[in-house]
Amino acid sequence: MSHFGVVAPAFYSHFQTFQALASALIDRGHRVTFFQQADARRWLADPRIAFHALGATSHPPASLGPVLQRAAASNHPLRLRGVIRDLCNSTRMLCAELPDALRERGVDALLCDQMEAAGGLVAEALGLPFISVASALPVNREPRIPLAVMPFAYAEDERSRRMYEGSERVYDWLMRPLSRVIGDACRQLSIEPRGGLHECLSPYAQISQTFDGFDFPRARLPAIFHAVGPLRTPGQQAEGEWHIDPDRPFVFASLGTLQGGRMGMFTQVAKACARLDAQLLIAHCGGLGPAQEQQLKRIGATWVTDFAAQQWALEKASVVVTHGGLNTVMDAIKARTPMLVMPIGFDQPGVASRVAYAGAGLQLSRRARGGTIHEALRRLLDHPPEPLERLAAELDRAGGTPRAADIVESVIRSGALTAARETP
């Protein structure tokens, strides 16, 4: 059996994706160790998963909080530089400390998040097989497809093509600090030079939490790319504690673990639901305090809580209001629940565009007011079921965590490079 190392950004949702895959591999007799700064250990619920803390000097305990606060405000242009700086610091630390840690732990192969370049770079330097996993939208680039972080709808006309190309240049300009860190790491590790996340992907296997029917039409994904759908840990589904009146619309609103403190957005959603006479459950993931919870109830929310049993809520809901986190969107498709997506940052604008393209819901600006949200919710209550039925059926066939574990094991069994390195 093999010992897998996991290298993923210190974000809750990314850790949950890899934890599901790690637990499946452990069930099959393998060992798994996560490598990250000490604060991230708290997100691992499976006691069988090992954790190796890194960055004792550069990323000491209690240093992750400010990083997460900056990430939550990443939609603000003036604060984006701080988020990029944090990403650079993490990649620099991992590239410096991972080689010795992997040797010490006796790791045989790496599972690497696409959003963290260090895993692939270090694996290549050490001659370890590695698998790239897209916890968010894939970073694989392709002509005529907008980058995952861009809000553009899909179109094939010349104007759209130029817009995609221009936005790619702007993105690369913004990410120059990370490109320099990656370039420095390549020189220090004595590997082939490269500069972007999309150039640090595995030549063995690449796994995505999406599935073909949800993405824009792609023609140049490598043969080793596998869209398996959401990676989840199987188990008994938790039940919600709220009694839903079946004769009234029920709206579930969640903005994820990073964005749960967006009181202004929740306020507008509550106003819209009050006008709609809809039941509203808000899950703020610990981002709001008791006084804010009571205020939202006075405005129009029926229930306000920190965490809710998400899959249960989605299956009960008439509509879900979401920031466009990929995990929530995949779960909503599984539940066949139409979505109102109000993206905030990271790849959420790209997810929102794909939701609209696939016919799974509508998208609005995060600054939308109650009246606009009310009109969108009213439309979604009459959303035709066929698009979501089709998407859910394809998601069910994608294979999920078991298929991802099969792919990982096939790479290990092969013992050799299964495909020439391609530039995605």
Side-chain angles (χ1 to χ4, degrees):
M1 294 292 105
S2 299
H3 184 185
F4 294 98
V6 171
V7 182
F11 292 116
Y12 174 82
S13 60
H14 290 250
F15 261 53
Q16 296 313 296
T17 296
F18 279 90
Q19 181 168 226
L21 180 54
S23 296
L25 290 169
I26 291 171
D27 288 341
R28 299 181 182 201
H30 302 286
R31 296 166 58 205
V32 181
T33 300
F34 278 57
F35 294 82
Q36 201 25 286
Q37 65 185 91
D39 288 341
R41 183 196 300 263
R42 67 181 186 267
W43 293 326
L44 295 177
D46 188 336
R48 301 174 301 169
I49 300 174
F51 186 88
H52 188 109
L54 299 172
T57 300
S58 60
H59 294 71
S63 64
L64 183 57
V67 172
L68 297 179
Q69 290 174 358
R70 285 190 288 271
S74 62
N75 60 291
H76 195 293
L78 297 178
R79 296 172 182 168
L80 183 58
R81 291 178 62 185
V83 177
I84 295 173
R85 184 170 57 250
D86 291 334
L87 180 58
C88 290
N89 290 339
S90 178
T91 298
R92 187 182 296 110
M93 178 272 289
L94 290 169
C95 284
E97 299 190 20
L98 265 176
D100 288 343
L102 295 174
R103 294 188 190 100
E104 176 187 338
R105 288 280 185 158
V107 168
D108 304 310
L110 285 184
L111 307 174
C112 306
D113 196 300
Q114 281 196 353
M115 295 304 298
E116 176 49 74
L121 298 179
V122 172
E124 183 176 336
L126 298 182
L128 295 174
F130 68 102
I131 295 91
S132 298
V133 179
S135 299
L137 285 182
V139 302
N140 303 66
R141 294 195 183 185
E142 188 170 328
R144 301 182 181 275
I145 298 292
L147 296 183
V149 296
M150 296 301 170
F152 307 125
Y154 176 75
E156 298 179 343
D157 59 278
E158 184 64 20
R159 179 178 178 274
S160 296
R161 184 186 66 80
R162 290 197 301 269
M163 184 168 58
Y164 301 161
E165 292 175 352
S167 67
E168 187 172 304
R169 289 192 294 270
V170 171
Y171 174 84
D172 288 340
W173 179 81
L174 287 170
M175 298 300 289
R176 284 183 305 172
L178 180 61
S179 295
R180 287 193 289 268
V181 170
I182 293 174
D184 290 344
C186 290
R187 286 187 290 274
Q188 293 162 5
L189 295 168
S190 300
I191 59 175
E192 175 187 346
R194 67 214 67 182
L197 292 173
H198 64 291
E199 297 175 323
C200 302
L201 305 180
S202 172
Y204 298 85
Q206 300 170 20
I207 295 171
S208 170
Q209 281 206 102
T210 57
F211 56 96
D212 293 340
F214 179 74
D215 204 352
F216 295 145
R218 286 185 176 266
R220 295 196 180 181
L221 288 172
I224 55 170
F225 185 93
H226 307 277
V228 305
L231 302 182
R232 300 288 184 270
T233 302
Q236 185 175 2
Q237 181 177 316
E239 292 289 331
E241 59 188 75
W242 303 277
H243 175 70
I244 311 300
D245 182 352
D247 296 325
R248 294 172 58 206
F250 170 46
V251 176
F252 174 53
S254 173
L255 302 178
T257 53
L258 277 180
Q259 308 292 349
R262 298 264 174 174
M263 182 66 178
M265 290 179 66
F266 283 130
T267 295
Q268 298 305 317
V269 173
K271 289 180 178 179
C273 288
R275 290 182 58 181
L276 197 63
D277 191 29
Q279 303 162 98
L280 171 62
L281 169 61
I282 291 176
H284 56 75
C285 301
L288 302 178
Q292 292 168 307
E293 290 183 350
Q294 293 304 315
Q295 183 178 348
L296 288 172
K297 288 180 181 179
R298 288 192 295 270
I299 294 170
T302 314
W303 309 280
V304 184
T305 186
D306 48 2
F307 293 95
Q310 177 160 289
Q311 198 61 46
W312 173 88
L314 289 169
E315 290 178 1
K316 295 288 186 181
S318 313
V319 179
V320 57
V321 179
T322 172
H323 61 309
L326 188 61
N327 285 326
T328 302
V329 168
M330 291 293 109
D331 290 344
I333 290 174
K334 181 177 178 63
R336 297 163 171 80
T337 303
M339 289 167 268
L340 176 59
V341 187
M342 303 175 68
I344 299 170
F346 296 106
D347 66 333
Q348 296 155 21
V351 172
S353 297
R354 286 159 176 81
V355 167
Y357 177 80
L362 301 173
Q363 62 182 110
L364 285 179
S365 165
R366 68 180 185 276
R367 299 185 180 90
R369 309 297 292 177
T372 304
I373 297 172
H374 167 263
E375 177 59 23
L377 292 175
R378 189 189 61 77
R379 290 174 57 192
L380 287 170
L381 290 176
D382 294 323
H383 190 272
E386 291 80 11
L388 281 162
E389 290 288 347
R390 170 179 51 79
L391 291 168
E394 185 175 348
L395 183 152
D396 289 340
R397 294 192 300 268
T401 308
R403 184 180 168 209
D406 289 343
I407 294 165
V408 170
E409 288 189 318
S410 72
V411 169
I412 299 305
R413 284 195 302 268
S414 71
L417 198 65
T418 58
R421 186 174 189 92
E422 299 180 46
T423 301

